[in-house]
Amino acid sequence: MSNLLGRHRAVMPRWVSLYYDDPIEIVSGKGRRVTDSDGRSYLDFFGGILTNMLGYDVPEVREAVERQLRTGVAHTSTLYLIRTQVELAEKIAELSGIANAKVFFTNSGTEANETALLLATNARRSDQVLALRNSYHGRSYAATAVTGNRSWKNSSLSPVNVHYLHGADRARFTHLSDEEFQAFCVDDLQHVLDTATATDVACLIVEPVQGVGGFTAAPDGLLARYREILDRYGILLVSDEVQTGWGRTGEHFWGLQAHGVTPHIMTFAKGLGNGFAIGGVVADGTLMDALPANGISTFGGNPIATAAAKATLDYLLAHDLQANAHRLGRLLIDGLRTAADRLPVVRDVRGKGLMFAVDLVDPGTGAPSASLAARVLEHAKERGLLIGKGGLYGHTLRMAPPLTLTEAEAREGLGILVDSLAAAC
Ligand SMILES: Cc1ncc(COP(=O)(O)O)c(C=O)c1O
């Protein structure tokens, strides 16, 4: 065991788990490639868990941060005006599609979702929340409470009352057609509202494509049908776009747009700062302003993070990376589907844009196989490709390369993935 790994294990919590039998330390990066402390280079198809959205060492982001650092000011607090914060909020409010939107910046996705739940429960004077099975919304008290995935559910204690809905668990209902499944889900939501909840419900929180859950999603259009019902009761819709925002899904800028619906509240984090810590919540201004007391997030929206985020967003829009995600996502997903025909360990290939996944099963029993997923991760690493895993049973490979991926890199990564899957068969 390397010295650093031993030291890590001695002082870091057991539940902060590391990838690989022999975990790596990434010491440098450029573009879509990183190098570890042994000098080995990897093509990165996980981007620090969808966070290095533009890749590594992007001059525009580096220069924006260096410019801010040169002023001598890394932090001022929200007691004072922060120009980049206001400019970034204006941009996000406009991009959100939410009318009269206001934005509050946080340091993480968890904190963003906490804020969204605070807004919704305050506005509705209710502690009842709906969430989707298999969801992940963060690690704090309330975010854990709306998380429907046992692997990440550290407590059942909760500041909110949660009811879980079907939708993203399509794979459990293969005996139903798409239309039958949607009708079942809609009926189930109505049944929950009629029979299980105590009158007023604050909100439904959803990931348009579930991240940790293995890039599973409710069929397109279902969340619009949910919204139709929710609207009858005034129940708010919260879209957790922490993984799906900024064009990653290719077909849309926000994941929820696949359902043809706009949320009341949207949360974001991860990719926005291209590695710098920033998250936030964007909501209808009246909803946002309705909190009765003061609120700050000391580091939220600080000058460094907002400078990085603004540069990242400008770059993303100027280079139309959503279109790139769409085009290369197609190439990768189609390529994997073709290869899957001759790979008995592959149960399902799915995804949108540069957010795609492969489910692995034991070819003998058809049971989800977490050990196979771990093996493919090792094979990919040996061949110079970093990928992720997840899913309800830990049996899903998750790929989400930086949105700046080139076609050559997409083909290279696809080749390694297919080889790694074949090696695990
Ligand atoms: C969909 C989703 N929401 C919220 C979070 C929590 O974000 P953070 O880890 O920045 O607190 C995550 C993190 O993986 C996520 O994937």
Side-chain angles (χ1 to χ4, degrees):
M1 193 193 304
S2 79
N3 188 25
L4 189 59
L5 178 57
R7 287 164 57 195
H8 175 102
R9 293 207 169 131
V11 293
M12 308 299 281
R14 180 194 51 77
W15 38 266
V16 178
S17 59
L18 294 161
Y19 273 176
Y20 307 120
D21 296 339
D22 195 6
I24 59 171
E25 178 195 9
I26 293 172
V27 294
S28 65
K30 190 154 197 66
R32 274 68 51 197
R33 288 182 202 275
V34 293
T35 304
D36 73 10
S37 53
D38 291 330
R40 291 204 58 194
S41 157
Y42 305 90
L43 180 60
D44 188 357
F45 264 31
F46 209 34
I49 321 180
L50 296 89
T51 300
N52 298 313
M53 181 163 72
L54 306 183
Y56 298 83
D57 196 24
V58 180
E60 287 82 349
V61 178
R62 176 166 26 82
E63 280 155 21
V65 170
E66 284 173 355
R67 234 180 354 261
Q68 183 58 40
L69 278 174
R70 275 198 299 276
T71 66
V73 175
H75 173 76
T76 61
S77 90
T78 44
L79 298 175
Y80 311 107
L81 291 166
I82 301 173
R83 186 170 297 275
T84 44
Q85 186 185 80
V86 175
E87 289 171 354
L88 183 64
E90 287 170 344
K91 191 90 214 160
I92 291 172
E94 183 196 326
L95 287 166
S96 74
I98 297 173
N100 309 310
K102 288 195 172 186
V103 182
F104 179 72
F105 289 109
T106 64
N107 303 287
S108 68
T110 295
E111 200 193 338
N113 285 331
E114 283 285 333
T115 311
L117 292 170
L118 189 65
L119 293 178
T121 52
N122 173 68
R124 297 278 299 152
R125 315 306 300 159
S126 166
D127 65 354
Q128 293 187 98
V129 172
L130 306 172
L132 295 186
R133 291 170 185 225
N134 198 34
S135 57
Y136 178 80
H137 294 291
R139 54 167 296 279
S140 63
Y141 202 37
T144 301
V146 291
T147 287
N149 182 330
R150 175 69 61 82
S151 310
W152 296 90
K153 191 100 184 160
N154 271 309
S155 175
S156 68
L157 301 175
S158 172
V160 281
N161 277 304
V162 186
H163 293 274
Y164 287 98
L165 303 181
H166 294 289
D169 50 355
R170 177 77 181 93
R172 293 183 55 229
F173 297 89
T174 47
H175 57 289
L176 300 180
S177 70
D178 283 348
E179 180 41 43
E180 283 167 346
F181 178 65
Q182 291 215 19
F184 160 76
C185 290
V186 167
D187 178 66
D188 179 64
L189 165 58
Q190 189 64 61
H191 191 257
V192 167
L193 293 175
D194 288 344
T195 64
T197 58
T199 63
D200 289 346
V201 171
C203 64
L204 164 63
I205 183 166
V206 297
E207 294 161 272
V209 178
Q210 296 181 323
V212 167
F215 297 174
T216 37
D220 287 356
L222 177 61
L223 298 178
R225 293 175 70 175
Y226 276 0
R227 166 111 198 221
E228 245 177 73
I229 297 177
L230 300 179
D231 280 351
R232 284 184 220 141
Y233 299 84
I235 300 169
L236 303 171
L237 180 59
V238 180
S239 187
D240 176 344
E241 299 273 355
V242 166
Q243 295 213 6
T244 46
W246 322 113
R248 173 159 297 277
T249 61
E251 54 186 23
H252 297 104
F253 196 74
W254 305 110
L256 193 68
Q257 288 174 309
H259 296 266
V261 68
T262 306
H264 298 92
I265 305 173
M266 197 152 70
T267 60
F268 54 85
K270 288 205 185 283
L272 177 62
N274 201 46
F276 287 86
I278 188 162
V281 49
V282 49
D284 165 84
T286 312
L287 203 56
M288 188 75 93
D289 286 341
L291 288 185
N294 289 314
I296 65 163
S297 168
T298 296
F299 295 113
N302 69 71
I304 300 285
T306 48
K310 208 171 144 296
T312 302
L313 199 48
D314 287 347
Y315 187 102
L316 177 108
L317 295 170
H319 292 81
D320 195 3
L321 296 187
Q322 181 186 328
N324 194 50
H326 191 56
R327 187 173 70 86
L328 296 183
R330 258 296 41 95
L331 184 154
L332 283 154
I333 294 165
D334 288 350
L336 279 169
R337 287 207 171 120
T338 305
D341 289 343
R342 57 187 160 79
L343 297 167
V345 293
V346 174
R347 161 65 55 83
D348 187 29
V349 176
R350 62 178 169 273
K352 287 184 176 179
L354 288 177
M355 191 172 183
F356 54 100
V358 175
D359 279 349
L360 297 177
V361 292
D362 181 310
T365 65
S369 177
S371 60
L372 262 174
R375 241 170 49 221
V376 177
L377 235 70
E378 297 286 351
H379 284 300
K381 177 191 166 215
E382 273 167 33
R383 291 162 174 77
L385 181 72
L386 301 184
I387 58 175
K389 58 189 164 94
L392 202 51
Y393 309 105
H395 67 303
T396 304
L397 304 177
R398 293 194 292 155
M399 281 65 66
L403 304 185
T404 49
L405 191 74
T406 66
E407 184 172 334
E409 290 163 343
R411 291 189 188 283
E412 179 187 339
L414 175 62
I416 297 178
L417 258 176
V418 172
D419 285 353
S420 306
L421 286 163
C425 278

